[in-house]
Amino acid sequence: MSQPQPVTVLVVDDHPIFRAGMATVLGDLPGVTVIGEASDGAQAITATARLLPHIVLMDLRMPGVGGLEATAQITTAHPEVAVIVLTMDEDDDSVFAALRAGACGYLLKEADGADVHRALLGAARGEAIFGPRIAQRVLAHFASPHAARDTLPFPHLTDRERQILDLLSRGLDNASIARHLSLSEKTVRNRVSDVLAKLRARTRAEAVALARDAGLGLP
């Protein structure tokens, strides 16, 4: 009887010591083979296209192209590749932004080797994988009567403000947003100012950074 093919993994993290340590731990797990490493989202996108791993183990906070944008691009271009987020961030915004970007799992970096092993094998079978604390929060969140509203990024924004922020995050200027939404430029300018105030962002660039971290403006 032939042996089952190992689950191939690409490890993505900007901290070289953590990345190397995780690659070593995973390499010792039965049925798992690390076939590559990447230090940021841009490298992860390129390496995924080249290596086509079963699983990408993705950090969120990295310089340049972050984990959310990389996850969105990878899952769009390669839907057969599963992305599991492995991060220190356990806030609801990060969890739901990762899910909106296409991640099939979310683990905290405190997870031990056995938890990561189960997650990799489960994701390879098409399962959704969450660490214990994250799973509890996800279930509690969807049990809330306000879940449908709260799963949206920046629930304190109106639907129109969120729509404008999304377009802003895609690189559109006020005139382009106005044409896209059939609004006047003055209205868009006023709404952008409202968005900046609600996000406590000093500049448009800062608002865009917050939006992209929350999963807006992604492919």
Side-chain angles (χ1 to χ4, degrees):
M1 182 180 296
S2 61
Q3 294 294 319
Q5 291 296 313
V7 175
T8 55
V9 181
L10 172 68
V11 180
V12 185
D13 198 286
D14 63 324
H15 292 94
I17 294 177
F18 179 86
R19 187 175 67 247
M22 179 56 63
T24 298
V25 169
L26 296 182
D28 291 335
L29 296 176
V32 175
T33 299
V34 176
I35 60 172
E37 299 178 24
S39 62
D40 59 36
Q43 289 186 14
I45 294 166
T46 300
T48 298
R50 177 170 52 87
L51 300 171
L52 291 178
H54 295 118
I55 311 289
V56 176
L57 202 57
M58 180 79 72
D59 189 19
L60 284 186
R61 309 297 176 185
M62 297 179 289
V65 178
L68 287 176
E69 183 170 355
T71 296
Q73 291 197 35
I74 287 170
T75 56
T76 298
H78 309 285
E80 74 281 8
V81 175
V83 177
I84 299 176
V85 169
L86 182 64
T87 181
M88 296 179 65
D89 298 327
E90 58 177 308
D91 58 284
D92 287 353
D93 285 345
S94 295
V95 173
F96 290 110
L99 296 181
R100 285 192 297 271
C104 73
Y106 200 103
L107 300 175
L108 298 179
K109 286 187 175 180
E110 65 189 33
D112 59 26
D115 288 337
V116 176
H117 191 205
R118 284 192 294 269
L120 295 175
L121 298 182
R125 294 190 296 266
E127 299 174 8
I129 304 297
F130 300 97
R133 289 215 310 272
I134 299 299
Q136 291 173 5
R137 294 176 65 165
V138 170
L139 291 173
H141 183 88
F142 282 103
S144 165
H146 304 293
R149 171 73 181 178
D150 292 344
T151 53
L152 294 172
F154 310 114
H156 55 299
L157 298 182
T158 66
D159 290 340
R160 178 64 84 186
E161 289 168 345
R162 192 179 302 104
Q163 191 175 26
I164 287 175
L165 179 59
D166 180 67
L167 295 173
L168 196 66
S169 302
R170 295 175 185 272
L172 275 66
D173 58 17
N174 285 358
S176 298
I177 293 173
R179 288 194 298 271
H180 188 84
L181 299 178
S182 300
L183 299 173
S184 70
E185 285 192 49
K186 180 179 179 181
T187 297
V188 170
R189 185 166 59 250
N190 290 339
R191 292 292 180 87
V192 169
S193 295
D194 292 341
V195 168
L196 295 184
K198 288 185 177 182
L199 296 183
R200 298 182 180 179
R202 291 167 293 181
T203 64
R204 292 166 70 101
E206 187 175 336
V208 167
L210 291 171
R212 292 185 77 82
D213 279 347
L216 293 180
L218 300 176

